[in-house]
Amino acid sequence: MEIIIKQNATEGSHAAARVVARLIREKPDAVLGLATGSTPLILYNELIRMHRKEGLDFSRVTTFNLDEYVGLPADHEQSYHHFMRENLFRHINIRPENVHIPDGMAEDIPACCAKYEQAITGAGGIGLQVLGIGSDGHVGFNEPTSSFASRTRIKTLTRQTVADNARFFDGDESKVPHHCLTMGIGTIMDARINLLLAFGEDKAEAVAATVEGPVASVMPASILQHHPAAKIFLDEAAAAKLKLSDYYRWVYDNKPDWQQDA
Ligand code: F6R
């Protein structure tokens, strides 16, 4: 794991955006895994800026989103289809046929999930996956005790996640769907690079447990300790509970030139 601590969410997100942009420039047909929620918003704004001002070209990029709520149609304001269209896709030159998001309205959910996995494999696998983290340590919607071998499937959200996400549903927990379709932890671990972003004090405990705690399914993101190329972008608040933060800063500040990428 590489731990990158920046002063604030903007600096952390811009550093992550540079890694994404570098991949797209090196490999114009890159396959990206994408997240929703508050965390990646600054990253997406920076990618939009790079598209407009620096010609970052998404015309051959393919994307797969991590998850979607069950029961929300694509045009629902809180669906992740809507979120991605509004916050990224409609501002860049990505081809609609290259965009993939699990179908929360699917009639045959197991078949839809199996097809999603096949589509990822068919695209050559995910080159770079963007992740946020839940305050309970979830990645995607792989809640605590999710199997590390899991693939795309239906999951039930924890009460904590329902409460956390109520802010997007007028603060009304009863409006938050209780089920979602999510890539599995096995799916996420197959991505060649994983970028996990976490900002704000609400994430500090989950971040400390993920980076410095035992690898355990009760803290799903901790599996990233076993990923060969996981980069964790933090602001000061999210890094506040790390015991070895001085060491992570030292490592980052002393990276050899050839390793500089963020
Ligand atoms: C969203 C997702 C979730 C979020 C997590 C953090 O696609 O997969 O794991 O990344 O719930 O959400 P925010 O960023 O809203 O704090």
Side-chain angles (χ1 to χ4, degrees):
M1 274 179 160
E2 183 184 6
I3 315 302
I4 298 158
I5 304 170
K6 296 282 182 180
Q7 202 129 42
N8 52 48
T10 301
E11 283 187 22
S13 303
H14 287 190
R18 288 194 288 276
V19 177
V20 177
R22 173 171 298 197
L23 175 71
I24 296 172
R25 290 201 172 100
E26 284 172 5
K27 191 173 176 345
D29 61 349
V31 179
L32 304 181
L34 299 177
T36 59
S38 332
T39 305
L41 285 173
I42 305 173
L43 162 69
Y44 294 158
N45 278 338
E46 178 63 3
L47 292 177
I48 293 166
R49 189 198 64 77
M50 288 170 158
H51 168 65
R52 290 186 179 147
K53 305 278 185 214
E54 297 170 10
L56 188 64
D57 180 14
F58 290 83
S59 64
R60 293 173 59 204
V61 168
T62 296
T63 63
F64 288 90
N65 262 81
L66 282 166
D67 40 22
E68 178 57 287
Y69 289 115
V70 168
L72 294 194
D75 59 359
H76 188 287
E77 275 208 349
Q78 295 310 331
S79 77
Y80 288 164
H81 282 75
H82 181 85
F83 175 99
M84 290 308 301
R85 201 166 45 243
E86 288 306 308
N87 291 298
L88 183 63
F89 297 146
R90 77 183 179 85
H91 306 285
I92 58 176
N93 64 333
I94 194 157
R95 294 204 176 111
E97 63 271 28
N98 288 353
V99 164
H100 304 83
I101 303 176
D103 178 5
M105 298 299 286
E107 276 183 22
D108 184 342
I109 286 180
C112 162
C113 294
K115 215 170 125 195
Y116 203 66
E117 287 283 331
Q118 282 160 13
I120 293 172
T121 307
I126 292 173
L128 183 153
Q129 175 69 54
V130 175
L131 298 168
I133 183 171
S135 59
D136 62 1
H138 69 227
V139 279
F141 273 140
N142 295 285
E143 296 286 28
T145 71
S146 288
S147 163
F148 286 158
S150 52
R151 314 302 304 190
T152 303
R153 70 213 183 291
I154 190 166
K155 283 295 287 182
T156 307
L157 303 181
T158 59
R159 285 172 188 236
Q160 175 72 57
T161 302
V162 170
D164 285 351
N165 287 6
R167 69 191 194 280
F168 299 116
F169 291 82
D170 310 320
D172 183 350
E173 287 184 26
S174 71
K175 290 189 188 164
V176 184
H178 289 184
H179 292 100
C180 59
L181 304 184
T182 179
M183 282 185 202
I185 296 185
T187 323
I188 291 168
M189 288 295 282
D190 283 349
R192 287 184 278 282
I193 302 171
N194 264 296
L195 306 187
L196 185 144
L197 284 65
F199 306 122
E201 60 183 344
D202 290 353
K203 302 293 171 72
E205 251 171 57
V207 165
T210 292
V211 175
E212 295 176 343
V215 174
S217 64
V218 288
M219 186 49 60
S222 65
I223 191 63
L224 292 171
Q225 292 179 30
H226 285 275
H227 193 276
K231 291 176 185 288
I232 316 294
F233 293 86
L234 306 172
D235 64 359
E236 298 283 357
K241 296 198 170 158
L242 288 170
K243 292 197 185 84
L244 300 181
S245 59
D246 285 348
Y247 174 61
Y248 308 137
R249 290 179 217 272
W250 167 261
V251 171
Y252 184 72
D253 289 343
N254 289 287
K255 270 171 84 162
D257 283 350
W258 59 269
Q259 272 191 336
Q260 300 286 347
D261 62 353

